[in-house]
Amino acid sequence: FGQMPDFAAINAIAARHGLPVIEDAAQSFGATQEGRRSCAASLIGSTSFFPAKPFGCFGDGGALFTNDDALAEKMSMVRNHGCKVRHDHPMIGLNGRFDTLQAAILLAKFPYFEEEVAARHRLGQRYHQLLDGVCATPATLEGNTHVYAQYTIRLKERDALQAWAQREGVPMAIYYPKCVHEQPIYQPYVSPGQTFPVSEKASKEVISLPMHPFLTEEEQTKVASVVRAFVERD
Ligand SMILES: Cc1ncc(COP(=O)(O)O)c(C=O)c1O
């Protein structure tokens, strides 16, 4: 939730099989790997500007990035009903146009983005300190920076923690309670009896703490003290 996976490894596997790599950078926008920005690590980078994301607008939005000019032109056409020039449609497309008002909001926010990334980093480090020895906190891969789109901890009794925190007035969210392979639409691709134990365990233990660049130290201290009180109850 805020850092890039190992793209050297992913791109190498894809190259061996002649596959294009599309990065889903909805949660990692603003993060880097070996100095390379998220969205610039493979053939296509994609991100979301949904309000809860690191670079959020006030409604729905997103963007695709590529260094391939021909592909960029094709993607622009898909975005706009397959249209190349007005009233000329060489391909089938859809309406994926980014709303002008949302674009204006992002343009106004953009000059502050690096500051917000720095604030997220600072707050992430502070959560690490406050929760040291209390619960499992997010690790950062070597060579990566982390934007903590979510600050997600792991705890066996996370449902009980969520209820406890709610009583204390601290909102905590569960992303995601169901794994991809547990979604009805993917059932035809899951063999009978097939399990994904690592994902399934994580989906039962993860819980995300309040995290945004404007979180105050007092708020953060309160959140951490609620987690600590829960873990140390009895
Ligand atoms: C990793 C990831 N990809 C894609 C999306 C979808 O983004 P959008 O709702 O803007 O399509 C999300 C939303 O939570 C996400 O977390």
Side-chain angles (χ1 to χ4, degrees):
F1 283 118
Q3 65 176 327
M4 299 161 69
D6 183 348
F7 269 99
I10 292 170
N11 286 332
I13 294 168
R16 275 207 303 280
H17 297 278
L19 295 169
V21 177
I22 302 175
E23 178 187 4
D24 180 342
Q27 303 276 357
S28 61
F29 197 68
T32 62
Q33 183 161 85
E34 305 294 353
R36 201 149 55 150
R37 284 181 179 277
S38 186
C39 279
S42 63
L43 181 66
I44 300 174
S46 65
T47 198
S48 164
F49 299 137
F50 188 72
K53 299 298 191 299
F55 190 46
C57 58
F58 291 178
D60 273 308
L64 299 176
F65 300 77
T66 184
N67 281 331
D68 181 326
D69 289 342
L71 189 57
E73 188 184 48
K74 227 180 223 178
M75 294 195 300
S76 309
M77 288 163 66
V78 170
R79 175 185 59 185
N80 191 20
H81 299 301
C83 182
K84 190 164 183 174
V85 288
R86 197 163 150 79
H87 303 308
D88 180 34
H89 297 253
M91 63 156 69
I92 296 290
L94 45 81
N95 177 2
R97 291 188 301 264
F98 188 36
D99 183 74
T100 307
L101 194 56
Q102 301 306 333
I105 286 161
L106 287 186
L107 280 175
K109 287 184 69 181
F110 195 60
Y112 306 98
F113 183 58
E114 286 305 320
E115 268 171 52
E116 293 190 5
V117 167
R120 284 176 176 280
H121 175 76
R122 199 176 58 245
L123 289 160
Q125 300 309 304
R126 190 154 183 276
Y127 262 145
H128 289 351
Q129 286 165 7
L130 293 168
L131 295 169
D132 187 32
V134 177
C135 59
T137 55
T140 304
L141 282 182
E142 210 181 311
N144 271 6
T145 61
H146 203 310
V147 287
Y148 301 105
Q150 303 291 336
Y151 190 92
T152 303
I153 59 170
R154 283 181 74 155
L155 213 77
K156 286 216 159 48
E157 298 167 284
R158 68 96 197 271
D159 291 327
L161 168 63
Q162 191 181 35
W164 173 288
Q166 196 168 10
R167 285 195 295 276
E168 297 290 330
V170 174
M172 295 186 187
I174 293 166
Y175 304 112
Y176 292 91
K178 237 185 194 184
C179 300
V180 170
H181 68 277
E182 293 170 329
Q183 292 296 340
I185 188 71
Y186 291 115
Q187 289 313 297
Y189 307 100
V190 180
S191 311
Q194 189 177 20
T195 60
F196 295 86
V198 174
S199 305
E200 287 160 22
K201 188 164 186 289
S203 73
K204 290 179 179 66
E205 295 180 357
V206 291
I207 183 158
S208 300
L209 309 184
M211 173 51 116
H212 57 81
F214 308 105
L215 199 61
T216 64
E217 290 205 350
E218 292 71 31
E219 287 167 333
Q220 206 180 19
T221 303
K222 159 92 180 169
V223 175
S225 70
V226 166
V227 178
R228 183 179 286 276
F230 173 78
V231 170
E232 293 174 354
R233 71 198 185 285
D234 301 332

